[in-house]
Amino acid sequence: MPVPGIEIRERPARAGFAPTRADVALFVGLVHRRPGPLPGAVSEWIAQTDFVRPGPLFRAAEKREALLDIPVPIDSFETFDALFAWDERPLVAGSPEQVPCRLGLAVRSFFEEGGVKAYVVRTGDPLPVLAPQDADPEVARREFRNLLAWRKATAPADADERAALLPGFIGTAGPGDMRDPANWSGAALVHFLEDVALLLLPDLPDLIAGPAQVQRTEFVPDTIEEQFVDCAPDAPAIVLLPRPASERVLAPRLAKGDFGTWRKAIGVALDILAGTGGASHRRDVMLLASLPLLDAASLEGSQNEAERTLALVHQSGAISSARLQLAWPWLATPAASTLGEGVEGGEGVLAGAIARTTLTDGAHSPATGSLRSTIRSSLPALSKRMLQTTHEPAQADWLGATLSLFGRKAGEWRLLSDATTSGSAHWQAGSVSRLMASLVRNARQLGELFFFEASSPEIWGRIHRQFESLLRSMWHDGVLGGRSEAEAFSVVCDRRSMTQADIDNGRLVADIEVLPAQLVERIKVSLVLWAGDKA
């Protein structure tokens, strides 16, 4: 019998730490910290990390209390809401009107869609949506972009209360040596979290575009031709009262020239994941982002906004990566109704769909299908032509080959395609990239068991058996294709996979080849263990 005033919800069981999981997301961006003491579980987690001990990751007590530049484990949106004031981004500086921040919307969509675990790295408070009326537009844009990363001379006035979201974005030197934890800040904290499989930077379009633009619509009264009416008395002239122009805040839109900046930011994020060699890479992590919207001038009369946007993306400095998924179009949701044009980027929904599918069907399964999120419409509005072929000769025949598309089908919103931006057809399926990422995480975990062992035929044989057992179980579960084990996978860990120079220098190399169930060609992964300098 239901009890008035009490709502009972089924809550999924908490999942423990598992480095080989493929559903855990890392959100990095701007959000307010709610006032009040930290919950005991969060304080306890931070106390067990290197953020409290002298060293390259140490954070001062005030930064730990503010949860600044520290990854916080989150197991539900309620937990996130208790820690972060995600719905308190000011519309204008000093105004009481507040709207949700991009990071909060993405986290909300992730859990609504079925995600069960995430980390959040707060890099500071969000800037107001609109710039002051007397502000210089270029100065305001620089203030937004400066939050990605800054030099000492250009540091924000409140730099002590901020952290670079994307270290290495400035200059041409790259994100720094990821083998050095001193460089682990913002998005680079992915190297601290072994179980993260998805990286999201929801603020990226806002920070590249700058303060939101306002569309003004002037009221123009209908003109009425003068008519002669016989015997009508004189009437005073009709004076129309001035009617103020209506204003609409627009979603973040990039001009044609801004796409180079956006591509660079995406490239830096991928460089952070690639690391600098050795064991410092995180090539097992997928980067999820929203394909930005175009401003009106950049469309240049194109009837297909997706085609035009992709053309800009694939111009000089093209992004082609098996570890990058771009969500499109932007989605109108109830939570985003007070934001510009009522839309949010789709990366949070995409991450949640991937996490849910991974937990229920495995990392090798496509995330396409019905969505749980409450989606009202999309921006731009979808048309059949947008979802059909493209006309760029260098691109695939279907937008869904390089974009993770949302759309309505059979009366409901679905993820229509689960694709990476890879230029190779064999790596365009997002599920294939996630399967290989899962294998890399398993390889790293197994490799760490033998890292301090002396290289010898005995160790080679043990590694061979460990990987063979793992791949055999994957084949039996239908993750790998092939009619036999020999067709599905092979493991080589002996003098065929190692040269004498490898053995003399302490390098152990295991070659693994697998046939993913959805592919017709084999993919090869090499595991290298090296006891040498900085590996």
Side-chain angles (χ1 to χ4, degrees):
M1 176 177 172
V3 180
I6 297 179
E7 181 181 1
I8 300 176
R9 295 183 181 179
E10 181 181 354
R11 183 170 181 174
R14 295 194 181 197
F17 172 78
T20 57
R21 289 179 62 176
D23 66 293
V24 181
L26 171 61
F27 296 83
V28 184
L30 304 167
V31 64
H32 288 287
R33 158 87 160 92
R34 288 203 192 276
L38 290 176
V42 175
S43 296
E44 182 180 349
W45 188 86
I46 295 176
Q48 296 173 354
T49 67
D50 291 337
F51 298 110
V52 299
R53 289 182 280 274
L57 288 176
F58 175 76
R59 305 289 191 262
E62 58 271 16
K63 290 190 176 183
R64 298 199 300 269
E65 188 64 27
L67 298 179
L68 180 63
D69 207 25
I70 293 177
V72 181
I74 304 293
D75 60 3
S76 69
F77 182 71
E78 289 74 19
T79 301
F80 174 80
D81 182 55
L83 289 170
F84 300 102
W86 63 278
D87 51 353
E88 296 182 5
R89 181 184 181 185
L91 185 63
V92 183
S95 168
E97 190 173 356
Q98 298 174 330
V99 297
C101 66
R102 296 290 175 190
L103 176 72
L105 289 173
V107 173
R108 181 188 181 96
S109 293
F110 172 77
F111 284 108
E112 183 179 11
E113 197 54 50
V116 299
K117 183 178 180 182
Y119 292 92
V120 172
V121 173
R122 174 180 175 266
T123 59
D125 292 340
L127 295 176
V129 176
L130 301 173
Q133 291 185 355
D134 58 348
D136 184 312
E138 286 304 313
V139 172
R141 281 162 58 88
R142 284 198 299 269
E143 184 182 9
F144 269 64
R145 294 187 183 185
N146 205 27
L147 298 188
L148 293 170
W150 58 83
R151 295 185 177 89
K152 186 176 181 180
T154 60
D158 56 349
D160 291 340
E161 300 174 5
R162 296 193 178 279
L165 185 145
L166 203 57
F169 178 74
I170 55 176
T172 58
D177 190 346
M178 289 297 108
R179 291 170 292 190
D180 184 3
N183 292 320
W184 293 357
S185 177
L189 281 168
V190 67
H191 292 276
F192 176 78
L193 303 165
E194 295 182 32
D195 56 339
V196 163
L198 309 169
L199 173 63
L200 294 87
L201 310 172
D203 293 295
L204 206 55
D206 278 65
L207 296 181
I208 300 296
Q213 301 298 310
V214 176
Q215 184 181 63
R216 294 177 60 87
T217 303
E218 299 288 345
F219 171 72
V220 179
D222 293 334
T223 56
I224 302 175
E225 295 183 2
E226 184 177 355
Q227 299 179 4
F228 176 76
V229 180
D230 192 20
C231 299
D234 293 338
I238 299 176
V239 179
L240 295 176
L241 297 176
R243 182 178 296 185
S246 62
E247 296 185 347
R248 183 177 67 146
V249 177
L250 299 179
R253 295 176 179 271
L254 299 190
K256 183 177 179 180
D258 293 331
F259 266 87
T261 305
W262 178 80
R263 285 196 303 266
K264 177 185 174 183
I266 292 292
V268 169
L270 291 172
D271 287 344
I272 288 174
L273 296 178
T276 48
S280 64
H281 73 81
R282 289 306 307 270
R283 295 186 181 92
D284 57 320
V285 175
M286 301 289 291
L287 175 63
L288 308 186
S290 292
L291 183 65
L293 296 167
L294 281 170
D295 67 359
S298 300
L299 287 174
E300 297 181 358
S302 172
Q303 295 181 356
N304 191 329
E305 181 168 343
E307 287 184 18
R308 180 60 185 157
T309 305
L310 274 178
L312 292 175
V313 171
H314 286 277
Q315 283 175 1
S316 59
I319 296 173
S320 176
S321 173
R323 291 175 289 113
L324 172 64
Q325 291 190 245
L326 297 178
W328 191 87
W330 286 50
L331 304 174
T333 63
S337 60
T338 56
L339 280 177
E341 300 182 72
V343 294
E344 61 177 288
E347 65 263 77
V349 177
L350 176 61
I354 290 173
R356 170 170 45 83
T357 304
T358 299
L359 291 169
T360 56
D361 302 323
H364 65 288
S365 300
T368 51
S370 301
L371 297 172
R372 298 179 180 177
S373 300
T374 306
I375 302 172
R376 295 172 173 171
S377 60
S378 66
L379 185 69
L382 295 175
S383 66
K384 289 184 178 180
R385 183 173 180 271
M386 286 185 177
L387 298 178
Q388 291 173 352
T389 58
T390 65
H391 303 290
E392 293 293 329
Q395 296 178 26
D397 290 336
W398 183 51
L399 289 174
T402 50
L403 292 179
S404 295
L405 289 175
F406 299 101
R408 286 187 66 86
K409 188 175 182 180
E412 63 179 2
W413 281 91
R414 297 185 180 187
L415 179 62
L416 301 178
S417 66
D418 176 10
T420 74
T421 63
S422 174
S424 169
H426 307 303
W427 285 97
Q428 284 178 347
S431 56
V432 170
S433 287
R434 294 193 295 274
L435 168 61
M436 301 311 297
S438 180
L439 282 176
V440 170
R441 280 192 291 277
N442 276 281
R444 177 187 291 118
Q445 187 182 32
L446 289 175
E448 287 175 351
L449 298 176
F450 303 100
F451 188 77
F452 294 102
E453 300 281 353
S455 182
S456 66
E458 179 186 357
I459 296 300
W460 304 345
R462 290 171 61 187
I463 289 178
H464 183 280
R465 290 189 294 273
Q466 291 268 16
F467 279 114
E468 201 171 55
S469 176
L470 169 66
L471 296 173
R472 182 178 296 113
S473 65
M474 295 177 70
W475 178 62
H476 284 296
D477 290 340
V479 178
L480 303 180
R483 292 170 293 182
S484 64
E485 291 184 11
E487 289 185 5
F489 64 87
S490 68
V491 181
V492 178
C493 187
D494 51 33
R495 289 186 178 273
R496 291 174 295 171
S497 60
M498 289 172 276
T499 65
Q500 188 60 46
D502 289 329
I503 298 173
D504 293 342
N505 286 280
R507 288 189 295 267
L508 189 155
V509 181
D511 284 346
I512 306 166
E513 291 190 11
V514 298
L515 177 66
Q518 295 180 332
L519 285 188
V520 295
E521 293 192 7
R522 299 174 73 86
I523 296 178
K524 181 177 178 180
V525 176
S526 291
L527 168 69
V528 179
L529 298 181
W530 182 24
D533 181 42
K534 294 185 178 179

